[in-house]
Amino acid sequence: MSYSQQVFDELKGRYADQPEFLQAVQEVLTTLQPALDKNPAYQRNKILERIVEPERIFQFRVEWVDDKGEIQVNRGYRVQFNSAIGPYKGGLRFHPTVNLGVLKFLGFEQIFKNSLTGTPIGGAKGGSDFDPKGKSDNEVMRFCQAFMVQLHRYIGALVDVPAGDIGVGGREIGYLYGAYKRLTTKYEGVLTGKPLNFGGSLARTEATGYGTVYFAQEMLKARGESLEGKKCAVSGAGNVAIYCCEKLYQVGATPVTVSDSRGMIYDPNGIKVDVLKQVKEVERASLTRYAELVPTAQYTARDDYPAGRNAVWSVPVDAAFPCATQNEVNVEDAKCLLANGCKCVAEGANMPSSIEAINEFLKSGIAYGPAKAANAGGVATSQLEMEQNAGMTAWTFDEVDGKLHNIMTGIYNAAAETAREFGCEGNLVLGANIAGFRKVADAMIAQGVI
Ligand code: NDP
């Protein structure tokens, strides 16, 4: 049995109750064997056994008082997964589905993603099963303050720098930052994704969505193609999806779908980004509101989707951008996209495709950009925010966007070249995993058993 299989089998027994974590590990380990064969030092130093275990996990109770005066209790977490190449960095997710297994999957992915950006940041993730949806601003503020009462002990500008993720945007980061400052009296770049008037970076809001499109452009360029004139399916209607749509228009493509947890919009004329921003960023409403505002938009409720399928992927398109959440593309969805002529998939969300769906994409030979490479623009720009905070300076939008674009090109090149090095040209899953892994593994060996 191979080394990677042996480590995975042991892990399966130990964490049988964490399916998302096991899925993320399996996706990485199944591609690493060629690199492990090439350098026996990885096995000798038990790198796989070490890299699949978080360095540290904090789990805490978060108690707060809602607007009716009732006490509420949520669970909070921070998983500090790997600090071999830099301080921990990774988002916070506030969503009712959050549990330790979900955060371990996200933290594990973050190690390799952060490594791929070429910047010195380690991997982490955190969050809570708190649901900001339907809460007043005051309730969100009180929750964030209670969450930070615990979290502030474990983070710092050179220790661990959280950011946003699902359910955590500029509003939440603002409240979390205020609470950190009150508790520690430190005005430091301890969180990224901050509003612009107190240390936020221009282009951070746009970065993940823009970066995913830059990555798709690089994949297509290598094949002598481009996004110009292409019809695209986008899922999600949050931060990543909105700015993915915006950039698609800028490069001459047309996004024709978006979705949220309750349903999807299809509009053959193209999604109206200004209306989407108004509905999701300002009104925080459902996409039914978008359908009220845009007469050409066709709304399908989630309850009317075909069983076990995501209706977004049944729309015939040239390119697909999953930007909502994990496991939103199953093998049937993948087959449907391919049968309808889809030639490019770039993942804005984390682990949106099941392992079987990934295998379909790879088998078909289309341009497939896995999440940890394609959506790394968010964390890369967070690192640029850290750099600006450390230098007490602020760069222009074009400066940050230019650096983001270069980083995405660099990630594509690293993944493509590594795939070529191992005789698997075009397999960016293998290329990204090995390129991300080697840097972290080499650093772990150099730092000894600690
Ligand atoms: P947001 O909270 O801004 O938006 C998430 C969107 O996805 C919303 O439209 C939400 O619908 C929808 N959604 C969430 N959960 C589900 C679900 N279970 N089923 C269907 N739809 C769902 O989050 P982001 O845009 O920030 O994050 C989206 C994805 O991108 C996540 O996988 C995240 O980990 C990943 N990512 C984000 C980065 C960032 O910089 N923000 C960086 C890298 C990756 P509704 O509006 O109804 O809640």
Side-chain angles (χ1 to χ4, degrees):
M1 191 191 293
S2 70
Y3 171 42
S4 52
Q5 187 62 49
Q6 182 192 317
V7 172
F8 184 65
D9 284 352
E10 277 171 27
L11 206 71
K12 257 193 330 202
R14 197 170 317 129
Y15 298 118
D17 58 338
Q18 298 178 351
E20 293 89 355
F21 173 56
L22 291 177
Q23 182 182 338
V25 174
Q26 186 181 4
E27 191 253 286
V28 172
L29 293 200
T30 48
T31 59
L32 289 185
Q33 197 55 48
L36 302 169
D37 292 340
K38 195 168 176 181
N39 186 352
Y42 295 144
Q43 183 165 2
R44 219 170 35 242
N45 284 279
K46 291 208 162 55
I47 290 298
L48 291 191
E49 290 88 332
R50 292 159 66 192
I51 212 166
V52 296
E53 293 293 344
E55 288 174 14
R56 205 169 294 106
I57 296 175
F58 300 105
Q59 184 168 351
F60 43 87
R61 184 179 74 203
V62 188
E63 45 191 33
W64 56 283
V65 179
D66 69 16
D67 285 348
K68 295 191 204 102
E70 292 275 331
I71 297 170
Q72 299 290 337
V73 182
N74 287 97
R75 284 130 296 275
Y77 310 84
R78 185 71 179 163
V79 180
Q80 295 182 336
F81 223 118
N82 193 297
S83 62
I85 62 167
Y88 306 104
K89 179 99 197 80
L92 296 172
R93 177 176 291 191
F94 291 169
H95 195 271
T97 56
V98 163
N99 58 42
L100 188 55
V102 167
L103 295 178
K104 279 178 64 184
F105 120 60
L106 290 162
F108 185 72
E109 286 279 294
Q110 200 81 43
I111 303 171
F112 307 102
K113 180 190 311 197
N114 292 5
S115 166
L116 275 172
T117 65
T119 62
I121 42 178
K125 202 80 188 190
S128 171
D129 58 1
F130 171 75
D131 187 359
K133 230 179 267 168
K135 305 287 191 302
S136 69
D137 283 355
N138 275 335
E139 288 177 322
V140 171
M141 180 180 74
R142 285 195 294 274
F143 172 80
C144 289
Q145 290 173 343
F147 186 81
M148 192 52 87
V149 163
Q150 295 293 333
L151 187 69
H152 83 277
R153 302 166 217 269
Y154 316 122
I155 61 176
L158 290 174
V159 179
D160 181 353
V161 183
D165 190 78
I166 291 178
V168 179
R171 174 183 60 170
E172 289 75 18
I173 293 289
Y175 292 145
L176 289 164
Y177 191 75
Y180 179 84
K181 197 157 58 74
R182 187 175 73 182
L183 289 160
T184 64
T185 68
K186 285 187 194 149
Y187 205 106
E188 59 175 13
V190 68
L191 292 159
T192 57
K194 296 184 289 297
L196 294 177
N197 50 351
F198 54 94
S201 172
L202 284 163
R204 173 60 188 93
T205 305
E206 293 83 354
T208 310
Y210 278 23
T212 304
V213 176
Y214 293 147
F215 193 88
Q217 279 184 307
E218 289 303 315
M219 289 196 293
L220 291 173
K221 198 165 82 188
R223 294 161 179 251
E225 295 166 29
S226 85
L227 280 168
E228 208 177 330
K230 299 286 192 300
K231 226 163 51 157
C232 304
V234 177
S235 66
N239 172 264
V240 181
I242 291 171
Y243 293 94
C244 176
C245 290
E246 184 168 284
K247 182 52 78 177
L248 283 172
Y249 280 118
Q250 289 174 14
V251 301
T254 308
V256 293
T257 66
V258 282
S259 64
D260 64 13
S261 48
R262 280 171 274 182
M264 68 166 281
I265 293 286
Y266 168 58
D267 189 340
N269 303 313
I271 297 300
K272 294 203 179 330
V273 176
D274 52 340
V275 178
L276 188 61
K277 285 184 185 176
Q278 172 65 27
V279 170
K280 286 294 177 184
E281 293 182 340
V282 181
E283 297 180 23
R284 296 179 192 275
S286 137
L287 285 174
T288 49
R289 171 81 178 131
Y290 179 99
E292 280 167 23
L293 296 170
V294 181
T296 51
Q298 299 163 26
Y299 181 79
T300 308
R302 182 161 289 269
D303 293 344
D304 297 330
Y305 287 9
R309 299 284 305 283
N310 184 341
V312 173
W313 313 126
S314 65
V315 175
V317 288
D318 305 300
F321 294 82
C323 296
T325 191
Q326 63 269 16
N327 289 324
E328 52 164 323
V329 186
N330 65 24
V331 68
E332 295 306 322
D333 297 322
K335 284 182 182 163
C336 187
L337 277 168
L338 293 168
N340 283 332
C342 178
K343 292 279 184 300
C344 170
V345 175
E347 297 181 337
N350 282 309
M351 204 169 75
S353 307
S354 68
I355 289 188
E356 297 75 21
I358 294 173
N359 290 337
E360 282 301 316
F361 293 140
L362 291 177
K363 208 167 64 186
S364 73
I366 64 159
Y368 170 65
K372 64 174 76 64
N375 75 26
V379 72
T381 309
S382 274
Q383 198 277 343
L384 299 177
E385 182 173 328
M386 288 165 70
E387 262 186 73
Q388 291 169 79
N389 293 164
M392 299 196 86
T393 185
W395 303 334
T396 64
F397 187 97
D398 287 348
E399 232 173 321
V400 181
D401 188 35
K403 285 176 196 278
L404 164 67
H405 203 152
N406 285 340
I407 290 171
M408 296 315 295
T409 306
I411 294 173
Y412 171 76
N413 289 337
E417 277 160 26
T418 308
R420 214 170 295 129
E421 177 189 336
F422 286 91
C424 296
E425 177 134 21
N427 183 342
L428 299 178
V429 177
L430 178 139
N433 286 344
I434 293 182
F437 169 80
R438 280 200 295 209
K439 183 172 163 195
V440 177
D442 293 345
M444 287 171 73
I445 293 172
Q447 289 170 23
V449 181
I450 46 175

